[in-house]
Amino acid sequence: MKRGRLRVLLGAAPGVGKTYTMLEEGRRLRDEGKDVVVAVVETHGRAATAGMLEGLEVVPRVTVQHRGVELTDMDLEAVLARRPDIALVDELAHTNAPGALYEKRFQDVEAILDAGIDVISTVNIQHIESLNDVVHQITGAPQRETLPDAALRRADQIEVVDLAPQALRDRLAQGNIYPAARIDAALSNYFRLGNLTALRELALLWLADEVDSALQTYRTEHGIDNKWEARERVVVALTGGPEGETLIRRGARIAARSAGGELVAAHVISQDGLHAPHPGALAAQRALVEGLGGSYHQVVGNDPARALVEFARAANATQLVIGVSRRGRVTAALSGPGIGATIVRESGDIDVHIVTHSAAGGAYTLPRLGGALSPRRRLAGLTLAVIGGPLLTVLLVSLRSAEAITSAVLSYQLLVVLVALVGGLWPALFAALLSGLTLDYFFVEPLNTITIAEPLHAVALVLYVVNAGLVSYVVDQAARRSRTAQRAAAESELLATVAGSVLRGEDALHALVTRTREAFSLTAVRLLAGTTVLAADGETGVGPPSTTVPVGRRAVLELYGPDLAASERRLLSVIAIQIDASLEHADLAQTASKIGPLGEVDRMRSALLAAVGHDLRRPLAAATAAISGIRSTEVELSEADRHELLATAGESLETLSDLVTNLLDVSRLQAGALAISLGPVDVLDVVLTALDELHLGPHSVELDMSPDVPLVLADAGLVQRAVVNLLANAIRFSPPGKPARLAASQFAGTVQIRVSDQGPGIPADRRDDVFVPFQRLGDTDNLTGLGLGLALSKGFIEGMHGTLEADDTPGGGLTMVISLPAADNPTRSEESR
């Protein structure tokens, strides 16, 4: 019997529409004439999902009794007996009721598939076994029902049912996923915007990896070597050298330019294991790669270039990042083309990026002006004269005849010109003299003797020398101009690097000192301010510096190594100016960092004076007036009037006491001197005490206290003050007839106390401002205090290792969320038992 096909709808979180989509697809297939039944579906009370069941045949569930509880589950035997074309099976990771034939629902599905029945099923990303711990870290909620990855990978088709995180939160807030009593806790816990975004990315990446694995399998089975640019995959070649970090970060930036880009680092080791780099350097680079989300691989091969290219092809790489050679120019010239040139030649359709770095051989060294032609070129010219002359003579002697003298003269003239082009003046003069004598000895009568019998022969020899001198002069001038141009280009590059280092700011001094040492081939460079070393590079040794350059009035630059030429000193003065500018920039930044807190303190003082002037004056004036009225002998007061004045004075003095207490607490918080005594605290006791303090009843506040909320590790008095402040604000801003709401729940080792109102709320860009002292966000009356309530509450909660955050209330308004660590004590409900 042909096995059925499995199609799985994968979702990032509950409520994205997996079950709805499954039922919608079932209705479509039914309309096309397929025999479709609903084997099992969980509507979770969602009306839209339940409505999709209309018109579909539903197999009745089987009922199981377990510990006195009646459970219902999919009737596998009934589905197999019904034998439809397609069965709709919800929640693939579900654990069956005790006593069922199989433990897990995916095993039931295997039996249905073996019977030749196609299955459409659903699963959430948090139920995949390999991702279970990752989802737990993201959401803080453990998942007990999991599905082996292998069971899901056996599916013939996997589709992601996607919904934008904010759209999912909107659906939840509208009551389309959970009942109203669970909405607030769900929005602030599992359904946080960050959680949903991370789960969505996890689902898409898991499916992308499965697609990539299938693509690799297809390429292997069909022997396909060339790259398929399904996604950008960047391979970075690591040698274990100091340039590794630069290459890794460049590769990461290249990979990040395209969606789904992947970073892969590879290090080639020889088959005998010799010539291995320092393991610590590679370990650090591997940690950096993995920290940037990439993967690290070691490749074995005696030919590093070809091994790297073969690895890149096997990985279906689109980009290959290598570093410019650390060898110097002379070493490169003697040893021939390096690994980089071989990689470029062998890479084919893989793009190769050769990245320069500070460890490159001579990367920032300025070319020396010196002579026009290098000693190496002079040696090459001399070698050409010594070897080319005899070889040319042997050839011409073998062809010697009376008519061949003209050809011989022109041939030797050509040799002299070539030697002049290669080696300059002195090798050309040597070649001219040698050619003249050889020509006279072998081709001019009498042969085999050196005799200048004719004046014309002497003239010919002189012309040889003159031609050699003229060509050599042209070559010499061209070489000088080329070297001058190289020097100018190198100086421009150095100055651009120096200027860029200054603009980048943080490591400018070290970068400037390093570039100076490299540019002038020095052994060491130090920047000192008095006796303080601001930056240094290289080993200074014992002796005094060879050159000392003042850097403005702040510092001195000490150079260790060879003496510098006048032109180099001119360039060094420019670098000194840049270093001075960098020091000035650092001084200004330091001054600004000192001024910033002073400005904040001044702003706080101004706000404090303004607030005190407005908010302390009213209760003080009221108390003074009431006491003055009582003490007055000019007016006779009744007992009721006297009682009213005493009440006014008492209320004003109590208000004044609260304001002064808040001011003292703010000062203690800012000084870090607030005394906090942590211990197990019952949240319910704190809430009830806060309600009593504010004289609030059920008409003002709705309570939603979960019975299994554990004790919190906190200071009971400070928690109560924070709850009182938040409740007072919620009551103040709640519209008439809409009470505030206070809820407590447990989530991921913490206890959350949520105080919500349905008032105007606060814009997202102003929420941080409400926790700043003396900020009242537009309050214009003098009855709302100094604006210290939320600042104090946040300080109290953070002092107890908790958090206080502002969030939206579903349907409009503001919700303040207190999160405190749960104490390692039994819950209140366990104690009561």
Side-chain angles (χ1 to χ4, degrees), residues 60-65 69-73 75 97:
R61 297 191 178 200
V62 63
T63 301
V64 179
Q65 294 290 333
V69 178
E70 186 176 276
L71 304 174
T72 63
D73 217 328
D75 191 341

Side-chain angles (χ1 to χ4, degrees), residues 44-91:
H44 298 289
R46 298 165 191 165
T49 304
M52 294 299 293
L53 284 170
E54 296 181 5
L56 290 175
E57 179 183 348
V58 180
V59 177
R61 297 191 178 200
V62 63
T63 301
V64 179
Q65 294 290 333
H66 179 65
R67 295 182 180 179
V69 178
E70 186 176 276
L71 304 174
T72 63
D73 217 328
M74 182 178 71
D75 191 341
L76 176 61
E77 295 181 357
V79 174
L80 294 176
R82 173 65 176 75
R83 295 192 60 79
D85 294 333
I86 301 170
L88 307 183
V89 181
D90 204 9
E91 298 187 357

Side-chain angles (χ1 to χ4, degrees), residues 406 459 512 558 562 777 801:
T406 304
V459 173
L512 289 169
E558 292 184 349
L777 293 187
H801 311 293

Side-chain angles (χ1 to χ4, degrees), residues 30 67 131 142 161 170 174 202 292 310 365 373 376 424 541 679 701 713 732 749 755:
R30 180 206 59 187
R67 295 182 180 179
L131 301 178
V161 179
D170 292 342
Q174 293 165 6
L202 199 61
L292 293 172
E310 289 175 1
T365 303
L373 295 178
R376 186 163 56 88
V701 180
L713 188 62
R732 182 183 305 122
V755 181

